[in-house]
Structures are given as C-alpha cells and as structure tokens.
Amino acid sequence: MTKVTRRKKFFRVVKRKLLKPVLYAVGLSFFLYLVIGNVVLQRKVMQEQTPRFLITRISKTFDETEFMHLLLTAQELLKLPKASSQLIDFVNGPFPGKCPPYLKQQLNRMNWDPLAFLVRTQKLFEMYDVYDRIVRLDETIAFLSAEVDEGRLPYTIHGQVDILKNERDAIIGKDITQEEFDFVSEYNGLILRLKRL
C-alpha cells in the first residue's frame, strides 16, 4: 500500500467512525438546547409579562362592556379546577379579601386587577339580589291575579296586587335600572355559579 492510499483510508475511517457521530451529537445537542431554551424563555416571558391594559379602576357603576368581560373571565376561570374553587372563595369572602397568587395571575392575564374584579362582582351580586326580589314579586303578582280570576280569592285582593305592582315598579326605578335588570335576567345562571347561596 502506498502512502497516499493509506492516508485516504485513514481519513475515510476517521470520517466514518469519528467525524459523523461527533457531528450528529453536536447537531442533536444544539437542537435540544434550542427547544428547551425556547420553552424556558417563553415560560419566563409569560410569567413576567404584564398586560398592556389592566382594569384597576374601583367603581360600582354599571358598564355593560365591563360586566360582560367580568362574566366571560369568570366563565373561563370556572373551567380551570384550581382557579374555580379559589375564585368562588375569593368573590364570596370578606371584603377586601386577599387574592390567592394563582388566581391573581389568571386575573392579570385576563386584564383584571383583583380588587377591581371583586368590587364589580359584589355589585353584580347586589344586582342579582334585587333581581331576585323582583322575580319573586312577579311570581306573587301572577299567582294572586290567577287566584282572583279563577274565583278562589275575593276580588278585593286586586288592591293588594296593585300595591305589589307599584312596589315592583319602584324597585326597578330606585334600586336597579332596567338595563341592569335585563343584564342580570339574561346571565343569572352564570351569576348563580359564582354566588355562594
């Protein structure tokens, strides 16, 4: 064998036995480094990222857009097992309550400051209580009217029914607006999921 042939054979063996496995190992290591680094970086960015718009204003005035956003946020949080129990405890607890860290992170992710969320939830519960009173009055009025019409109660009960109707109308004007009543009427099922009875 000549020197040139030996050299070619040596390089071929080095290339096959040493260079290819080293290149494969380096390539795979680099790929794993990129994947793991990307996951760690995204997780860190997600944890540290604060939303550009956060509802921090403390207000009990009814704004349909904000309250709709509140209900959508509550609906999303009720789907998460850990956040669901924390949310119900938080909104039904004493005011001002301490928000658990996990729930606070979820609320911030959905653009809510926990205290602003809590204040609006309490306003929602107050609206529901008034709505419930009105619904009970409506049921009582309907029952008494039906009983009088069918002759099971004396006609003089109509005066009581008129008093109940006036009380109902006064509540809608004084304690709750028609817009708030319609809102609670449409979404009372979700509000009841939040409200601990």
Side-chain angles (χ1 to χ4, degrees):
M1 253 196 219
T2 65
K3 246 181 167 181
V4 174
T5 313
R6 275 191 198 161
R7 194 179 299 147
K8 282 184 180 178
K9 188 175 180 183
F10 174 75
F11 283 125
R12 214 177 22 225
V13 170
V14 166
K15 187 177 174 184
R16 188 182 67 211
K17 298 262 186 186
L18 189 63
L19 194 59
K20 280 187 180 177
V22 167
L23 287 176
Y24 285 137
V26 168
L28 187 60
S29 298
F30 184 68
F31 177 73
L32 287 174
Y33 170 76
L34 286 178
V35 169
I36 293 171
N38 191 25
V39 169
V40 169
L41 185 66
Q42 280 183 349
R43 187 172 179 178
K44 186 175 181 185
V45 166
M46 284 297 285
Q47 287 176 348
E48 293 178 357
Q49 185 178 17
T50 56
R52 282 180 279 174
F53 170 71
L54 193 68
I55 300 174
T56 57
R57 186 173 54 91
I58 306 299
S59 170
K60 282 196 167 193
T61 56
F62 178 75
D63 177 359
E64 188 171 356
T65 307
E66 280 184 359
F67 278 78
M68 196 67 206
H69 178 47
L70 174 111
L71 288 180
L72 289 173
T73 301
Q75 191 173 23
E76 287 299 313
L77 292 175
L78 288 170
K79 291 178 186 175
L80 304 172
K82 186 176 179 183
S84 174
S85 59
Q86 288 182 356
L87 176 67
I88 291 172
D89 290 342
F90 177 61
V91 296
N92 289 290
F95 181 83
K98 180 158 173 46
C99 185
Y102 179 73
L103 181 61
K104 183 176 183 178
Q105 180 185 10
Q106 295 301 319
L107 286 171
N108 281 340
R109 189 174 60 81
M110 296 181 192
N111 300 330
W112 279 105
D113 174 69
L115 188 59
F117 184 85
L118 182 60
V119 167
R120 283 171 181 78
T121 306
Q122 287 187 339
K123 167 67 175 173
L124 195 64
F125 290 166
E126 290 169 12
M127 286 163 41
Y128 180 80
D129 291 339
V130 174
Y131 164 80
D132 190 46
R133 257 177 51 215
I134 292 170
V135 167
R136 288 173 195 258
L137 279 171
D138 283 341
E139 289 171 356
T140 305
I141 290 167
F143 172 75
L144 290 175
S145 297
E147 292 295 309
V148 168
D149 291 344
E150 292 177 13
R152 288 193 279 260
L153 287 174
Y155 189 75
T156 55
I157 297 293
H158 257 308
Q160 298 295 324
V161 171
D162 290 339
I163 291 171
L164 290 176
K165 285 180 183 176
N166 290 339
E167 183 182 341
R168 177 198 183 279
D169 294 341
I171 290 172
I172 285 191
K174 189 176 90 177
D175 295 341
I176 194 171
T177 65
Q178 186 65 46
E179 185 184 18
E180 291 171 345
F181 179 81
D182 294 340
F183 183 82
V184 176
S185 174
E186 190 169 349
Y187 301 107
N188 62 34
L190 185 54
I191 297 169
L192 277 177
R193 283 182 65 195
L194 274 176
K195 187 174 172 61
R196 191 180 285 151
L197 301 174

